[in-house]
Amino acid sequence: MEWLETRELRYFTAVAEELHFGRAAERLGMAQPPLSRAVQRLERRLGVVLLDRGRHGVALTPAGAVLLDEARATLDAAAAAARRTRRAVEPGGRLVLAVKANGAHDLLRALLDAYAREPDAAEVEVVLCGIGEDERMLRDGRADAALLHPLYSSLAGFDSEEVLTEEQVVVLPAGHPLAARTSLTLAEVADVPGLPAARWPLRDGGYPPGPGPEVRDLSQLAQLIALGRTSTVIPASARAWLWTAHSAVPLVDAPSVTTHIAWPPQSRSRPLAALVRTAVGLGREA
């Protein structure tokens, strides 16, 4: 069986991301020759070429692209193990729960109140996250659990349970003619003149094409909607963050959104188990 060391995976990842041995060596705080030799040894051990080295620079081979994905996952898992291990011995115990900043406000409040009554409850630190940050925090060990929406986050590699299923609404400037409607369809809000839908960043950091403004956080989005520059579709429970300058109208044909509580599959934490049990119980009562 081939064993890969986290050190050599870290070396390879730096080169694969920089596509330049000099920049990778600088990033790692080491000289370039030993870095080059380490990557060559890794290639010999695996019996594959990971990098094409040409006059015009460095490029990933198909095998290198596969290893880059695997290396990132492995390094994230190692970092997560270290973070969770250190947190496990903190006095009194502590759970970190990652939640999207515009997430289910009422659900979160009910969950924290109900969990505080559990005999195995620990202190819960709630971290309000931007787009995609909640999933990243759970993957790299900064969070013990997260409330995730599969429409926006991947549940792959996590254990999870459904907690809440809800409809979606479109958020418009309060004075817009469509804001007076009792319901709308996706087609009616897809191409509103002068009110293009806001564009959130994709998983790779880029933005989808379209005329709408690029947004990075809720405060920016809220201001743009209030100014009459954009609109957005969100789960109904996220209306808790709306201003009086906003109006939320139900969408009759938008897909439902299900909130899941997700956690690392290898966890044996009793406080975390109690948190999951409490969340699932609230979902059954809803």
Side-chain angles (χ1 to χ4, degrees):
M1 178 184 295
E2 292 287 351
W3 293 97
L4 298 178
E5 300 178 3
T6 55
R7 175 179 55 84
E8 59 189 354
L9 291 179
R10 188 163 55 89
Y11 288 177
F12 168 73
T13 299
V15 177
E17 290 179 343
E18 298 291 344
L19 293 178
H20 190 281
F21 277 91
R23 289 195 298 268
E26 183 178 353
R27 166 175 155 182
L28 292 165
M30 64 187 297
Q32 181 174 334
L35 175 60
S36 298
R37 290 194 295 269
V39 174
Q40 289 169 354
R41 285 195 299 270
L42 177 60
E43 289 177 314
R44 287 196 298 270
R45 287 178 56 209
L46 293 176
V48 298
V49 176
L50 300 171
L51 300 166
D52 280 331
R53 303 159 175 86
R55 288 183 301 174
H56 301 294
V58 178
L60 281 173
T61 66
V66 170
L67 182 60
L68 177 59
D69 287 341
E70 297 291 344
R72 284 169 169 163
T74 299
L75 293 172
D76 282 348
R83 290 188 178 107
R84 292 193 179 104
T85 299
R86 286 193 293 266
R87 201 154 55 241
V89 298
E90 291 181 358
R94 177 172 63 99
L95 292 178
V96 177
L97 176 64
V99 183
K100 198 171 271 77
N102 66 334
H105 174 75
D106 291 339
L107 170 64
L108 178 60
R109 182 172 54 188
L111 173 58
L112 295 176
D113 289 345
Y115 178 66
R117 297 190 291 269
E118 287 286 324
D120 289 325
E123 176 189 353
V124 179
E125 177 184 345
V126 177
V127 179
L128 300 180
C129 302
I131 294 296
E133 187 183 2
D134 43 6
E135 179 189 341
R136 289 194 297 272
M137 288 190 65
L138 189 55
R139 291 199 186 280
D140 68 17
R142 288 178 291 159
D144 300 290
L147 296 179
L148 300 179
H149 298 98
L151 281 179
Y152 313 111
S153 303
S154 172
L155 295 173
F158 300 134
D159 282 345
S160 65
E161 290 282 354
E162 294 185 6
V163 178
L164 173 69
T165 298
E166 56 186 318
E167 304 307 315
Q168 297 197 79
V169 298
V170 60
V171 183
L172 303 161
H176 194 276
L178 291 179
R181 296 274 297 275
T182 57
S183 64
L184 291 164
T185 66
L186 285 171
E188 289 175 311
V189 301
D191 191 21
V192 180
L195 205 64
R199 292 181 292 142
W200 290 98
L202 301 171
R203 296 173 67 86
D204 62 4
Y207 284 85
E214 298 178 354
V215 296
R216 297 177 302 278
D217 56 53
L218 280 176
S219 60
Q220 182 188 30
L221 175 63
Q223 183 73 11
L224 287 169
I225 295 175
L227 291 172
R229 301 299 178 87
T230 190
S231 63
T232 194
V233 175
I234 59 172
S237 61
R239 286 178 290 191
W241 64 265
L242 297 186
W243 305 352
T244 55
H246 302 147
S247 182
V249 181
L251 291 169
V252 295
D253 58 347
S256 299
V257 176
T258 300
T259 300
H260 290 68
I261 184 167
W263 67 96
Q266 72 277 12
S267 175
R268 299 295 181 269
S269 165
R270 292 177 57 140
L272 177 57
L275 181 68
V276 172
R277 183 172 61 249
T278 303
V280 173
L282 288 174
R284 289 172 180 163
E285 293 172 4

